[in-house]
Amino acid sequence: MLNVVYPSGKNITDQSAEYLLKLGDRFQIACVMERSEKFLITSTDASAIEKLRIANKYKLVGLKQRCLNSLETVQQFKDI
């Protein structure tokens, strides 16, 4: 988490994003939450449904909106 707060060249990864959100939420560190959300918005590895789960859990409005906008069929909405 300190690598996000005090940039050291380490990037957020798909494996670390949710863990960083958990820590950022627990310790109320807005910059960690924002950087993790921005990473997830641009990440293509996680599914929209997985991102939506994370967005709901950590109240990430931007990520939630992006996920909902990416759903194209009624079946995708039903799958949620």
Side-chain angles (χ1 to χ4, degrees):
M1 183 170 72
L2 290 176
N3 288 325
V4 175
V5 176
Y6 302 107
S8 65
K10 297 237 180 196
N11 293 324
I12 296 173
T13 65
D14 287 311
Q15 293 76 26
S16 66
E18 189 169 4
Y19 183 68
L20 288 170
L21 285 167
K22 180 180 178 180
L23 291 175
D25 185 53
R26 180 176 180 183
F27 296 109
Q28 299 178 358
I29 303 174
C31 66
V32 172
M33 302 295 288
E34 291 166 7
R35 287 194 59 205
S36 298
E37 180 180 24
K38 286 179 184 177
F39 170 80
L40 287 170
I41 287 171
T42 60
S43 171
T44 58
D45 291 341
S47 70
I49 293 172
E50 178 65 15
K51 289 180 183 183
L52 190 56
R53 180 192 66 77
I54 293 169
N56 281 330
K57 184 174 183 178
Y58 296 104
K59 300 173 184 74
L60 304 173
V61 177
L63 180 59
K64 184 176 184 178
Q65 188 63 43
R66 179 64 71 98
C67 291
L68 291 175
N69 288 342
S70 73
L71 299 176
E72 298 172 351
T73 66
V74 173
Q75 186 59 44
Q76 288 177 318
F77 280 101
K78 288 180 180 179
D79 290 343
I80 294 174

